[in-house]
Amino acid sequence: MGLFLIILVVICLCWPWISRLLSRWFSGFMARRAEDMMRRMMGMPSRKEERRANRAAGQSRDSSGASERRESSRRTSGGRYHRQPRTDAAALLKSVAVDVEYTEIKEFESTTIVEDDGKTRRVYNEEQVSDAEFMEIRER
């Protein structure tokens, strides 16, 4: 019983220090969890997975040699592969683009909306083109 009272007195005397340590630990814990959650949402590996990959890459780099160095040079930060684009984006767009000239048809669809709240009355007329014609422009 005496030992229990001594421990209780020590805890009471050191409580401000203990509470500060616990609050710092808890805020750091929550910050790390939030960072891991943000990394997962962005498609990045968590800090733990990244450490494991770096550790594995360090061990295999020591054991293998030039082939591993070539492979790691293709990696970006975070251990993911990035392949260079094969063609220019502008050339790709030119190869799949279709030039079209649009002509509006004179058919309109009309909708009338009336709002009545007692004192004021609002009328909305909405018109919308129902269809359009187009002609494809082909180059020789």
Side-chain angles (χ1 to χ4, degrees):
M1 183 70 174
L3 184 63
F4 177 73
L5 287 175
I6 291 173
I7 292 173
L8 190 63
V9 168
V10 169
I11 290 176
C12 288
L13 290 176
C14 297
W15 184 250
W17 184 71
I18 293 171
S19 66
R20 261 186 269 135
L21 280 176
L22 285 175
S23 68
R24 285 181 187 163
W25 175 83
F26 186 71
S27 64
F29 173 75
M30 294 306 288
R32 287 186 297 275
R33 278 191 61 183
E35 180 184 350
D36 283 341
M37 185 172 54
M38 290 296 292
R39 283 172 168 251
R40 256 185 267 119
M41 285 191 288
M42 289 187 286
M44 294 173 57
S46 66
R47 290 176 299 113
K48 188 176 182 180
E49 293 168 347
E50 195 170 343
R51 265 187 264 127
R52 265 192 228 139
N54 287 342
R55 205 173 299 133
Q59 288 175 357
S60 64
R61 191 177 302 129
D62 294 340
S63 63
S64 66
S67 64
E68 185 65 32
R69 271 186 245 119
R70 258 186 273 120
E71 186 134 340
S72 67
S73 68
R74 282 188 271 174
R75 289 181 178 223
T76 60
S77 63
R80 296 182 185 248
Y81 289 103
H82 177 73
R83 183 180 45 146
Q84 294 296 326
R86 293 185 183 146
T87 60
D88 186 28
L92 178 67
L93 288 176
K94 285 179 184 176
S95 68
V96 296
V98 177
D99 291 329
V100 177
E101 184 178 314
Y102 287 95
T103 306
E104 239 179 64
I105 294 180
K106 299 299 179 189
E107 276 183 46
F108 287 97
E109 187 177 312
S110 180
T111 306
T112 304
I113 301 171
V114 178
E115 288 184 4
D116 193 10
D117 58 349
K119 298 179 183 176
T120 60
R121 184 175 180 189
R122 295 183 183 157
V123 178
Y124 298 103
N125 290 322
E126 296 180 356
E127 293 183 354
Q128 187 172 1
V129 177
S130 62
D131 201 4
E133 286 183 357
F134 66 93
M135 180 181 6
E136 190 173 337
I137 302 171
R138 295 185 184 234
E139 294 181 12
R140 297 179 194 162

